[in-house]
């Protein structure tokens, strides 16, 4: 695959990894947070941690909207789907996410709710068009990457004069979360343990590299925006190691083949036309963050399921033993949570970080748990 | 969350839609979020929408840089 | 009224299955006579009794297996539910090293199901069974009311004979053994997903659905005494099968990513859907565990067979009381290869 295969070249990776090992000072530590679940996935999937020297540590950030979606919103969606007139359309990622009583959309579907998995926002509009007697609600979640496609769906529904289509909006904003990680109350209390950020890939195609300027100017944290392929991640790590070594804190753009300084203006304009920031939105593991979520503007409220169906979100507390907040701020490793792998596994997640395969704890469990004691895979070679 | 992949635009369709190919896998997507998409462009596809165009020149430069970084490290050993 | 219906010929073009077709009367007899007898014809089925009576094998042990097929859609690139049901049960029997002998088929059909589709599926079953040389010796059809089944379900059973002295079992993998895969992975699952509603994408990938018993016979002939076990990595893919083996045998397995054949289109489709080819279903591949002394001759025999041309040594059985399946990635790093958590759902994340 062009623009994919080139960035999965194992031989090149060895070269970059060697450069990282050569340049990373063994006397200091490099705690680098990859914000995005896509990066977390690439790191886990390709075993990149084994290529990095011990002083370079990757901290898996909150960049998985499925993980950070509060349980109360899942509960609300499940309640909504229970209404006989409603067809709830959702991305596959949300189907298994547990609500507060061990409920999930998958279970609600089994119990008879009309819940359909869609791959594109346009599919949800298509269903509303084909089935005019159904109230079709699209469970909209995601970062800045995913909000423009939601906006496109609303535009299409408006153009087609559909009155049976609406969205349950849970779109969130990444800069607000990065800010909370470096400057939130807990961060101030424990001190921030992060030396630099691997910046979002596809979020940045929309919002542009300049959107992270505050990391450098306000917080003196270097950022390297990176693509989701494994070589992209390694190259960004090398860029961050160099910034730290040289005492720089700049916004560098490794993913320059797809990310510009200003991002996708057309997408931004469309989103701004329809959505406005909420005063605050709850993030699982991080708490309520100011100006971190979107809702539809009043002019578009006819497409807003929250007003149409009077959806109430009842806050459900996170498990007291869950260390997600500390994991996300780089204060704790997943294995240091006492519930990790015992009560909390991907099959029965307790905290946000275990919910989707891109969560910090889930990635560690599903791909990396062999690294805790005993046998190392590196010792085993398949004989030719 | 942001699973997105590069695909080649092989045909432009009405209503800001396009056919794209990803190594022979064909899919119809919306290109309404981009201006002036042309056949032969590589675009980043996310949930059925093209979000960005890939800049060939920058891509070549990144690859060259990757190769260079690796070689430099090998020599430095 | 119904008497007229019985007298008329079955309309295999525009007709549909009705409740009477499962009611045990003449309509049912007509359905069997018009569709199943010609499609599946063989002497045992031709006995026309409630059971088939077959000669006992002279030696060896009996292997038996049963499986249900509910695949959606019923027709997919490279096959359909009929051929899949025949191949699937033959393969389940063959994984014991047995020579499959006879199959049985039971169909649950939803009222209103097009007779043309039923005929096509029956023909495809017949073709698959003839090609494999394993006859369907007995069968049954039931019709359920509209809405009570998703078109058509098939359940098959089969018996076969394991040659004397050959013992293959999931608990026999030992540290040091080699793990062999017969060919490229993920084709079936991707072919199915490509034809699912709402996911539609076009691909040239066809299901790999095929009967593997001939390949198995070649493997047994070449390395029988060295073989520990065989499994076909169907639902859950190679990942699930390797984890089953590791747990059943109480060992660990280490595989090398670079050795696993995957078509580039399968990788592309998996990238599009956010799934891992290791967890995608196959219907024409097998995994064998063999002691190191037999690995060479086994691989040679597989590669010489049309169904094993891409056979590869993908890993080694190791001692590990945590029973992990680990993979050395193409990048030289390590990762766990886990069972799929829950159903395989496309991700956007
Ligand atoms: S292991 Fe589970 S409970 Fe512990 S921090 Fe991670 S998600 Fe929370």
């Amino acid at each position: 695959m062009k623009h994919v295969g080139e960035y999965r070249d194992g031989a090149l990776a060895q070269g970059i990894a060697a450069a990282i090992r050569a340049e990373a000072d063994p006397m200091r530590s490099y705690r680098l947070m990859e914000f995005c679940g896509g990066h977390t996935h690439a790191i886990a999937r390709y075993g990149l941690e084994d290529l990095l020297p011990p002083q370079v540590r990757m901290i898996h950030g909150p960049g998985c909207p499925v993980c950070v979606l509060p349980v109360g919103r899942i509960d609300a969606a499940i309640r909504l789907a229970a209404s006989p007139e409603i067809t709830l359309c959702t991305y596959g990622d949300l189907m298994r996410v547990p609500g507060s009583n061990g409920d999930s959309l998958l279970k609600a579907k089994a119990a008879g709710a009309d819940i359909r998995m869609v791959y594109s926002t346009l599919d949800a509009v298509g269903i509303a068009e084909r089935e005019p007697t159904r109230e079709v609600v699209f469970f909209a979640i995601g970062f800045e990457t995913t909000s423009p496609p939601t906006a496109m769906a609303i535009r299409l529904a408006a153009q087609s004069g559909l009155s049976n289509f609406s969205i349950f909006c849970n779109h969130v904003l990444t800069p607000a979360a990065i800010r909370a990680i470096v400057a939130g109350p807990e961060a101030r209390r424990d001190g921030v343990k992060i030396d630099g950020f691997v910046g979002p890939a596809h979020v940045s195609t929309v919002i542009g590299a300049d959107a992270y300027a505050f990391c450098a100017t306000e917080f003196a944290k270097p950022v390297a925006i990176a693509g989701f392929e494994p070589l992209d991640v390694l190259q960004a790590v090398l860029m961050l190691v160099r910034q730290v070594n040289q005492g720089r804190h700049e916004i560098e753009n490794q993913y320059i083949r797809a990310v510009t300084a200003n991002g996708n203006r057309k997408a931004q304009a469309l989103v701004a036309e329809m959505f406005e920031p909420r005063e605050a939105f709850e993030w699982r593991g991080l708490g309520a963050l100011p100006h971190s979520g979107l809702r539809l503007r009043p002019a578009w409220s006819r497409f807003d399921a929250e007003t149409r169906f009077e959806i109430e979100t009842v806050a459900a507390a996170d498990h007291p033993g869950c260390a997600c907040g500390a994991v996300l701020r780089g204060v704790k490793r997943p294995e240091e949570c006492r519930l990790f792998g015992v009560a909390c596994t991907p099959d029965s997640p307790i905290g946000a970080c275990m919910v989707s395969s891109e969560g910090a704890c889930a990635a560690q469990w599903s791909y990396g748990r062999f690294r805790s004691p005993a046998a190392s895979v590196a010792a085993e070679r398949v004989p030719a | 969350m942001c699973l997105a992949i590069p695909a080649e635009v092989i045909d432009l369709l009405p209503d800001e839609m396009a056919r794209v190919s990803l190594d022979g896998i064909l899919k119809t997507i919306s290109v309404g979020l981009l201006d002036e998409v042309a056949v032969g462009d590589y675009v980043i596809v996310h949930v059925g929408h093209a979000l960005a165009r890939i800049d060939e020149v920058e891509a070549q430069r990144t690859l060259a840089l990757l190769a260079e970084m690796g070689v430099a490290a090998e020599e430095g050993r | 009224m119904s008497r007229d219906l019985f007298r008329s010929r079955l309309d295999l073009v525009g007709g549909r299955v009705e409740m009477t077709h499962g009611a045990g009367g003449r309509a049912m007899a007509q359905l069997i006579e018009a569709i199943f007898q010609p499609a599946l014809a063989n002497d045992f089925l031709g006995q026309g009794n409630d059971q088939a009576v077959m000669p006992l094998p002279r030696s060896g042990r009996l292997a038996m297996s049963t499986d249900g097929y509910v695949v959606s859609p019923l027709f997919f690139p490279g096959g359909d539910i009929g051929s899949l049901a025949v191949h699937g049960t033959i393969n389940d029997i063959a994984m014991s090293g047995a020579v499959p002998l006879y199959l049985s088929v039971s169909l649950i059909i939803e009222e209103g199901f097009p007779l043309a589709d039923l005929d096509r599926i029956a023909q495809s079953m017949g073709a698959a069974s003839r090609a494999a040389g394993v006859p369907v010796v007995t069968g049954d059809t039931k019709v359920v009311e509209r809405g009570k089944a998703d078109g058509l379900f098939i359940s098959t059973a089969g018996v076969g004979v394991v040659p004397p002295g050959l013992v293959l079992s999931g608990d026999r993998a030992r540290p040091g053994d080699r793990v062999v895969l017969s060919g490229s992975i993920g084709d079936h699952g991707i072919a199915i997903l490509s034809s699912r509603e709402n996911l539609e994408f076009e691909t040239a990938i066809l299901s790999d659905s095929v009967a593997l018993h001939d390949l198995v016979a070649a493997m047994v002939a070449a390395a029988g005494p060295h073989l520990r076990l065989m499994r076909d990595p169907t639902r859950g893919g190679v990942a699930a099968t390797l984890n089953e083996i590791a747990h059943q045998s109480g060992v660990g397995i280490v595989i090398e990513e670079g050795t696993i054949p995957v078509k580039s289109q399968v990788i592309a489709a998996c990238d599009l859907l956010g799934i891992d080819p290791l967890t995608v279903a196959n219907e024409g591949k097998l995994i064998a565990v063999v002691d190191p002394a037999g690995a060479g001759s086994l691989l040679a025999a597989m590669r010489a067979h049309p169904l094993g041309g891409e056979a590869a040594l993908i890993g080694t059985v190791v001692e590990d009381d945590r029973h992990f399946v680990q993979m050395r990635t193409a990048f030289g790093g390590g990762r766990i290869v886990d069972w799929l958590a829950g159903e395989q759902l496309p991700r956007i994340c």
Side-chain angles (χ1 to χ4, degrees):
Chain A
M1 272 177 288
K2 190 162 151 59
H3 295 302
V4 176
E6 303 93 304
Y7 304 92
R8 295 181 183 172
D9 182 320
L12 272 184
Q14 297 308 324
I16 310 291
I20 294 171
R21 285 193 295 269
E23 295 183 33
D25 182 350
M27 300 313 288
R28 71 196 297 171
S29 80
Y30 303 77
R31 302 159 66 91
L32 308 177
M33 168 173 283
E34 82 278 4
F35 180 86
C36 285
H39 291 133
T40 306
H41 191 259
I43 290 166
R45 157 79 184 72
Y46 290 90
L48 298 188
E49 275 175 69
D50 292 339
L51 276 66
L52 300 177
Q55 67 272 32
V56 177
R57 195 187 126 194
M58 302 310 294
I59 296 162
H60 311 315
C64 161
V66 176
C67 292
V68 298
L69 186 71
V71 172
R73 304 293 283 186
I74 292 280
D75 290 344
I78 293 173
R79 275 199 308 277
L80 190 64
S83 316
E85 76 279 10
I86 285 179
T87 296
L88 186 77
C89 295
T90 172
Y91 294 128
D93 312 54
L94 285 165
M95 291 296 278
R96 269 195 303 267
V97 179
S100 46
N101 305 317
D103 259 359
S104 67
L105 291 172
L106 206 61
K107 285 186 186 162
K109 180 167 178 270
D114 185 6
I115 298 173
R116 307 199 204 162
M117 226 171 58
V118 293
Y119 183 76
S120 161
T121 53
L122 301 181
D123 297 340
V125 180
I127 292 174
E129 233 161 12
R130 283 193 304 276
E131 303 180 33
T133 60
R134 304 293 302 161
E135 274 293 343
V136 176
V137 178
F138 176 63
F139 194 171
I141 83 157
F143 292 120
E144 292 90 334
T145 327
T146 318
S147 40
T150 301
M152 288 288 279
I154 294 173
R155 197 181 73 176
L156 182 65
Q159 282 165 355
S160 325
L162 289 181
S163 59
N164 64 331
F165 178 81
S166 59
I167 68 158
F168 177 35
C169 184
N170 295 278
H171 286 299
V172 287
L173 303 170
T174 35
I178 296 180
R179 190 175 281 276
I181 288 165
V182 286
E186 285 95 349
R188 283 199 296 273
R189 192 192 59 216
D190 317 332
V192 185
K193 306 276 166 66
I194 293 165
D195 299 303
F197 288 92
V198 176
H202 297 126
V203 164
S204 307
T205 64
V206 175
I207 66 175
D210 289 353
Y212 308 98
F214 71 93
C215 292
T217 53
E218 282 180 50
F219 304 113
K221 299 286 177 200
V223 175
I225 293 162
F228 280 159
E229 297 302 332
L231 277 183
D232 291 328
V233 178
L234 282 178
Q235 189 182 16
V237 168
L238 181 55
M239 289 165 110
L240 289 171
V241 165
R242 287 178 178 171
Q243 287 210 43
V244 171
N245 285 350
Q246 296 160 9
R248 287 185 290 128
H249 39 82
E250 294 162 17
I251 311 304
E252 291 183 310
N253 184 1
Q254 183 280 335
Y255 199 31
I256 195 161
R257 63 185 184 278
V259 173
T260 59
N262 300 319
N264 183 338
R265 285 270 165 82
K266 196 174 176 187
Q268 290 167 18
L270 184 68
V271 170
E273 181 196 338
M274 286 179 194
F275 295 95
E276 61 187 14
R278 298 174 194 254
E279 285 77 65
F281 193 75
E282 179 82 22
W283 291 55
R284 229 178 142 172
L286 293 176
L289 306 182
H291 306 291
S292 67
L294 294 177
R295 68 164 163 246
L296 281 165
R297 291 185 184 277
W300 296 88
S301 64
R302 65 187 189 283
F303 294 105
D304 190 348
E306 265 173 281
T307 46
R308 270 174 82 140
F309 305 106
E310 292 168 13
I311 300 175
E312 262 181 72
T313 311
V314 185
D318 283 332
H319 191 286
C322 171
C324 269
V327 168
L328 292 180
R329 291 191 313 279
V331 177
K332 273 193 179 176
R333 293 168 186 263
E335 312 89 284
E336 285 162 10
C337 169
R338 61 188 173 81
L339 300 176
F340 179 81
V342 186
C344 184
T345 64
D347 289 316
S348 59
I350 285 180
C353 310
M354 195 60 98
V355 172
S356 105
S357 64
E358 294 193 344
C361 296
Q364 177 62 24
W365 174 257
S366 304
Y367 292 108
R369 67 182 185 274
F370 68 90
R371 285 193 191 88
S372 4
S376 156
V377 69
E380 298 292 344
R381 290 225 66 131
V382 176
Chain B
M1 174 77 191
C2 311
L3 197 91
I5 29 170
E8 185 183 6
V9 177
I10 54 166
D11 200 5
L12 294 172
L13 308 173
D15 298 328
E16 304 186 303
M17 301 296 281
R19 297 281 284 160
V20 296
S21 161
L22 126 103
D23 221 11
I25 303 271
L26 303 182
K27 195 146 174 71
T28 303
I29 63 158
S30 157
V31 288
L33 288 168
L34 294 179
D35 286 318
E36 291 160 38
V37 175
V39 169
D41 282 354
Y42 275 80
V43 293
I44 305 259
V45 183
H46 175 60
V47 298
H49 298 258
L51 282 184
R53 203 188 331 263
I54 292 188
D55 184 327
E56 287 285 343
V57 177
E58 291 295 356
Q60 288 315 316
R61 233 181 256 165
T62 299
L63 286 172
L65 193 64
L66 278 168
E68 207 177 286
M69 280 174 153
V71 171
E74 297 293 327
E75 282 168 357
R77 267 197 257 187
Chain C
M1 168 213 112
S2 45
R3 201 162 299 153
D4 290 345
L5 186 92
F6 297 159
R7 250 183 248 128
S8 63
R9 283 170 57 90
L10 265 193
D11 175 6
L12 290 185
V13 180
R16 290 182 179 277
V17 174
E18 297 164 17
M19 291 305 292
T20 48
H21 286 129
R26 291 185 54 187
M28 191 171 106
Q30 190 184 23
L31 186 78
I32 290 168
E33 210 179 280
I35 292 183
F36 294 104
Q37 290 281 13
L40 303 173
N42 61 71
D43 290 347
F44 299 110
L45 192 66
Q47 291 167 359
N49 297 320
D50 282 353
Q51 70 295 116
V53 177
M54 289 89 62
L56 265 184
R58 249 173 267 125
S59 64
R61 291 168 307 137
L62 212 53
M64 180 167 180
S65 181
T66 182
D67 209 346
Y69 296 84
V70 296
V71 65
S72 162
L74 298 173
F75 300 94
F76 47 83
D80 58 60
I81 190 171
S83 52
L84 185 68
V86 168
H87 294 153
T89 294
I90 289 178
N91 292 347
D92 281 347
I93 296 168
M95 292 308 114
S96 66
V99 178
L101 293 177
Y102 311 113
L103 299 175
S104 76
V105 170
S106 158
L107 293 100
I108 313 268
I109 314 167
E110 185 182 3
E111 178 187 18
F113 191 76
L115 286 172
D117 285 354
L118 186 64
D119 191 42
R120 199 172 142 202
I121 289 166
Q123 302 275 358
S124 149
M125 271 182 147
S129 119
R130 274 191 302 279
V134 186
V136 174
V137 297
T138 182
D140 181 51
T141 59
K142 292 278 179 332
V143 179
V144 296
E145 282 167 39
R146 195 178 264 281
K148 298 271 167 71
D150 189 10
L152 174 87
F153 299 144
I154 299 182
S155 138
T156 47
V159 290
V161 173
V162 187
L166 186 67
V167 182
L168 304 186
S169 170
D171 58 4
R172 294 191 64 225
R174 293 291 168 266
D177 286 351
R178 303 288 187 258
V179 181
V180 174
L181 172 67
S182 71
S184 79
I185 62 168
D187 297 10
H188 177 73
I190 294 304
I192 294 285
L193 285 172
S194 77
S195 41
R196 285 261 167 94
E197 198 189 353
N198 278 347
L199 284 184
E200 278 160 38
F201 54 88
E202 283 166 42
T203 161
I205 297 285
L206 304 178
S207 165
D208 58 352
S209 172
V210 76
L212 290 166
H213 59 307
D214 196 55
L215 173 64
V216 168
M219 292 166 69
V220 170
H226 298 287
L227 277 172
R228 308 283 200 201
L229 66 98
M230 285 188 258
R231 281 278 160 92
D232 54 340
T234 55
R235 267 173 313 174
V238 167
T241 298
L242 292 177
N243 275 288
E244 282 163 26
I245 295 170
H247 278 258
Q248 225 180 317
S249 290
V251 294
I253 295 177
V254 178
I255 58 174
E256 188 94 23
E257 182 172 24
T259 63
I260 300 173
V262 196
K263 296 189 175 81
S264 70
Q265 273 210 2
V266 170
I267 296 178
C270 286
D271 277 357
L272 180 77
L273 299 169
I275 57 182
D276 184 342
L278 287 170
T279 61
V280 179
N282 310 277
E283 290 291 347
K285 299 293 159 10
L286 62 81
I287 284 174
V289 175
V290 59
D291 79 40
S297 49
L298 182 71
L299 258 186
M302 291 174 79
R303 288 184 180 149
H305 192 279
L307 295 179
E310 279 188 288
L313 194 60
I314 63 162
T316 307
V317 178
V318 298
E319 224 166 292
D320 180 355
D321 44 18
R322 296 173 302 176
H323 311 156
F324 283 163
V325 177
Q326 300 182 46
M327 179 159 87
R328 267 186 75 83
T329 72
F331 271 51
R335 63 169 263 212
I336 292 261
V337 175
D338 221 342
W339 264 295
L340 203 60
E343 194 193 346
Q344 188 160 59
L345 303 173
R347 296 186 304 128
I348 66 157
C349 296

